[in-house]
Amino acid sequence: MKVALLLGPPGSGKGTVAELLRRAQGGYVHFATGDMLREEVKNGSDVGHEAEPYMKRGELVPDALIIHIVEQRLEMGDAEAAYLFDGFPRTLIQADLLDESLAQRGRTIDVVIYLATLREVILQRLTGRRVCKECGASFHIINIPPAVEGICDTCGGELYQRKDDNEETIANRLDVYNRQTESLIARYEEKGLLFSVDSDQGLESLMAQIEKRLGAGSAGSPQAGADA
Ligand code: ADP
Ligand code: ZN
């Protein structure tokens, strides 16, 4: 069973790729730390209260907090399943911890999919992004418009714009990415795990490339009725 990571700057399409992979292959346990954090904020939990100010500024939430929620989710999750990590790890400390957690479970990272994106494309993507309140699916007012404006194609939920998808916060998130996360590319390249793809080539060919690299049925045995 595969363990795959999605690495790339904000706006590189990690969430979109994850959602399309889930639909195409099923059976993945999807770990999106950004989604988990937004859920905690929405629920008004202690973790949510602690994380919210960092997220609003576009800064990274402290490692200890992230590690806590990822561990919790790993404990709950199916130890046999294929894992897709999206937006995690983002620091070297998180990367070390992920290696340890996986090792304890007799697993290792199989592939790190790096979504290379031009800076110009990022701003356009993030300012036009709309997200489903219910299921978290991502749309874009121009690139991936929903069939009905403001409504999720998948579940009928209401679409909203993320608080951190404004120009000022986006600039800060890109800065943070360059300072704290980009160094992970070299780490995984040295380990021979990096699979770099041009994320600006159009979704169809992008997904074809990624699925080819993952291999057919790589997510493991698809759960019955797991497809959308
Ligand atoms: P994006 O990749 O577009 O910035 P995410 O949803 O992955 O969007 O992350 C949103 C925010 O959540 C980040 O700006 C950061 O504050 C927080 N966050 C998400 N994942 C992590 C992580 N692994 N480590 C620290 N902070 C994180
Ligand atoms: Zn939805």
Side-chain angles (χ1 to χ4, degrees):
M1 299 307 118
K2 284 252 157 80
V3 176
L5 266 55
L6 287 170
L7 182 63
S12 57
K14 300 184 295 288
T16 301
V17 167
E19 172 62 16
L20 292 174
L21 276 179
R22 190 187 65 76
R23 285 192 219 167
Q25 308 210 332
Y28 272 111
V29 179
H30 180 204
F31 291 84
T33 44
D35 291 348
M36 294 181 198
L37 289 169
R38 277 184 291 279
E39 194 65 29
E40 298 281 353
V41 171
K42 195 169 127 189
N43 295 339
S45 71
D46 288 348
V47 168
H49 282 301
E50 207 182 317
E52 193 174 19
Y54 295 96
M55 297 173 75
K56 272 202 180 133
R57 292 193 298 264
E59 281 160 27
L60 294 187
V61 165
D63 286 328
L65 213 133
I66 291 291
I67 284 156
H68 172 72
I69 62 169
V70 171
E71 274 296 325
Q72 228 174 15
R73 191 61 70 93
L74 274 171
E75 286 300 316
M76 271 166 43
D78 177 359
E80 301 289 306
Y83 295 146
L84 183 63
F85 289 93
D86 158 2
F88 173 87
R90 258 160 144 111
T91 63
L92 288 169
I93 292 172
Q94 291 179 18
D96 285 340
L97 209 109
L98 176 62
D99 286 345
E100 271 173 44
S101 284
L102 289 173
Q104 279 166 18
R105 294 169 169 81
R107 314 283 298 269
T108 52
I109 296 168
D110 294 290
V111 60
V112 178
I113 299 160
Y114 170 56
L115 301 175
T117 307
L118 288 177
R119 204 185 166 95
E120 302 91 276
V121 180
I122 290 174
L123 197 79
Q124 190 266 357
R125 277 195 184 146
L126 291 180
T127 50
R129 169 159 71 183
R130 299 293 181 271
V131 184
C132 176
K133 264 188 182 154
E134 303 304 323
C135 76
S138 255
F139 297 86
H140 188 281
I141 51 173
I142 293 156
N143 306 353
I144 322 168
V148 181
E149 199 189 316
I151 303 292
C152 174
D153 286 351
T154 311
C155 78
E158 192 188 325
L159 303 183
Y160 77 106
Q161 183 166 29
R162 269 170 49 174
K163 278 193 197 129
D164 58 352
D165 279 346
N166 64 76
E167 289 196 30
E168 198 188 327
T169 311
I170 291 167
N172 199 29
R173 281 156 65 201
L174 286 172
D175 215 49
V176 165
Y177 173 82
N178 291 333
R179 275 187 286 117
Q180 297 183 271
T181 307
E182 213 175 35
S183 59
L184 292 180
I185 298 168
R187 173 194 179 103
Y188 293 124
E189 187 148 48
E190 276 159 27
K191 295 189 176 202
L193 294 174
L194 202 74
F195 178 63
S196 185
V197 285
D198 169 13
S199 152
D200 305 336
Q201 64 181 296
L203 267 180
E204 212 168 301
S205 56
L206 172 65
M207 292 312 294
Q209 257 187 299
I210 292 174
E211 288 195 57
K212 191 172 163 199
R213 175 63 181 78
L214 288 174
S218 61
S221 41
Q223 295 154 356
D227 52 319

